[in-house]
């Protein structure tokens, strides 16, 4: 049994999609990141970076004590090795998949996350539009560049790392499928090969099942007070604020 510490976001879906693809048994634990669940002592023991997703595998590959893991890329790579699915075991084909898997982790996820932040969240926090302009331009430009990288790759390959569906695809899809909503509604016209791949990967039953896990949590309506807490918790982090959030969570045993 694998415990998954989760909130329905692109990084969370990577793990639930992989678990569905591999047919592994798992239990989902709510980490409401807008409420501050990521600062509880129990969660920080598993994920010291106060980010979800994280897992505990009670029957790890190779035996031994339960294995805790954070970082969606490491989790998915581990599950691929454990099951022998979606990642070649050795040689050049393995590294061609890992190249695109790490590309996602270092590029598409962070750049699209920042573009989303500056375009869709920061305007609710920062009054002066001039303060937002550089962030919007920088990260939207990077996302546009990365779409071109994927589109060129997918023009000559069915999947990101070549002919076969792999962890590179299932790590990238949860972010890529949000491009139209988060960036602009003409993105698919500019990148038709990317659109073909988004539709093809999105039609996989396991991808749909993983994407749907606890969808309703993310659709809850927040009160203005809850929205205020969410902004403070998510968008005002520093070493000092994280330390005090940890202390607060420990005191209140936030669940
Ligand atoms: N590189 C990490 C990123 C994880 C991440 O940023 N998770 C966000 C939600 S998508 C989170 O837990 N945020 C909580 C916070 O900012 O305190 C991964 O891929 O696992």
């Amino acid at each position: 049994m694998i415990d998954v510490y989760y909130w329905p976001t692109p990084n969370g879906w990577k793990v639930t999609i992989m678990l569905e693809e591999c047919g592994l048994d798992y239990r989902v634990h709510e980490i409401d990141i807008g409420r501050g669940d990521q600062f509880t002592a129990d969660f920080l023991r598993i994920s010291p970076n106060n980010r979800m997703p994280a897992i505990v595998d009670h029957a790890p590959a190779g035996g031994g004590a339960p294995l805790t893991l954070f970082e969606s890329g490491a989790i998915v790579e581990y599950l691929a090795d454990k099951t022998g699915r979606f990642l070649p075991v050795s040689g050049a084909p393995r590294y061609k998949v890992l190249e695109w898997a790490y590309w996602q982790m270092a590029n598409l996820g962070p750049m699209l996350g920042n573009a989303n932040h500056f375009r869709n969240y920061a305007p609710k926090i920062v009054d002066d539009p001039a303060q937002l302009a550089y962030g919007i331009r920088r990260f939207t430009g990077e996302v546009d560049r990365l779409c071109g990288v994927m589109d060129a790759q997918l023009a000559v390959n069915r999947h990101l790392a070549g002919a076969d569906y792999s962890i590179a695809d299932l790590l990238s899809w949860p972010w890529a499928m949000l491009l139209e909503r988060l960036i602009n509604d003409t993105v698919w016209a500019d990148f038709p090969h990317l659109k073909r791949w988004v539709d093809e990967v999105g039609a996989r039953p396991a991808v749909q099942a993983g994407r749907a896990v606890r969808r309703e949590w993310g659709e809850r309506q927040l009160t203005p007070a809850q929205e205020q807490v969410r902004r403070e918790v998510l968008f005002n982090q520093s070493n000092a604020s994280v330390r005090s959030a940890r202390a607060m969570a420990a005191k209140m045993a936030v669940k």
Side-chain angles (χ1 to χ4, degrees):
M1 175 63 70
I2 296 179
D3 284 314
V4 184
Y5 295 83
Y6 170 87
W7 187 249
T9 71
N11 290 317
W13 300 329
K14 294 171 186 171
V15 173
T16 48
I17 288 171
M18 183 63 176
L19 289 161
E20 292 288 336
E21 288 283 14
C22 297
L24 291 165
D25 283 337
Y26 64 98
R27 253 185 326 231
V28 177
H29 301 267
E30 181 177 6
I31 300 297
D32 182 343
I33 56 175
R35 187 174 61 185
D37 292 357
Q38 67 272 38
F39 298 109
T40 61
D42 285 350
F43 181 67
L44 288 167
R45 267 192 288 278
I46 301 168
S47 185
N49 191 39
N50 65 266
R51 298 283 189 274
M52 71 89 223
I55 65 164
V56 180
D57 185 352
H58 295 277
L67 174 69
T68 70
L69 281 177
F70 67 98
E71 279 294 328
S72 58
I75 296 168
V76 167
E77 189 174 334
Y78 165 73
L79 296 174
D81 283 339
K82 177 173 176 154
T83 57
R85 309 285 311 276
F86 311 116
L87 176 63
V89 288
S90 65
R94 179 179 178 89
Y95 296 109
K96 295 317 282 180
V97 170
L98 289 178
E99 155 182 272
W100 281 96
Y102 295 158
W103 174 87
Q104 190 292 318
M105 296 304 301
N107 292 273
L108 185 64
M111 293 304 150
L112 192 41
N114 277 314
N116 182 35
H117 178 80
F118 279 99
R119 296 171 70 94
N120 301 317
Y121 289 108
K124 296 175 192 150
I125 299 165
V126 176
D127 291 331
D128 176 7
Q131 278 192 35
L132 301 175
Y134 176 74
I136 291 175
R137 194 171 72 241
R138 157 83 182 139
F139 292 112
T140 305
E142 268 299 287
V143 169
D144 185 58
R145 182 184 72 78
L146 296 169
C147 287
V149 171
M150 283 190 285
D151 200 62
Q153 177 72 356
L154 292 164
V156 291
N157 293 285
R158 181 164 173 204
H159 292 104
L160 275 177
D164 297 332
Y165 177 69
S166 72
I167 62 167
D169 300 294
L170 71 82
L171 288 167
S172 300
W173 183 85
W175 282 106
M177 67 97 172
L178 290 173
L179 281 163
E180 188 177 32
R181 182 150 71 78
L182 301 186
I183 302 298
N184 73 56
D185 53 13
T186 63
V187 68
W188 300 141
D190 294 340
F191 303 108
H193 307 290
L194 179 55
K195 167 71 171 149
R196 185 268 304 154
W197 168 88
V198 163
D199 288 347
E200 212 173 288
V201 173
R204 294 177 68 89
V207 170
Q208 291 179 8
R211 161 81 176 80
V213 171
R214 306 298 191 270
R215 192 178 194 140
E216 67 284 1
W217 289 351
E219 291 171 350
R220 283 179 197 154
Q221 283 302 317
L222 299 185
T223 64
Q226 287 169 326
E227 183 56 44
Q228 188 56 36
V229 168
R230 180 169 180 268
R231 283 182 201 172
E232 271 302 308
V233 165
L234 288 179
F235 305 138
N236 202 14
Q237 293 187 10
S238 64
N239 182 43
S241 73
V242 162
R243 282 161 63 103
S244 73
R246 287 174 176 178
M248 181 84 80
K251 217 186 277 171
M252 295 169 61
V254 179
K255 283 273 177 269

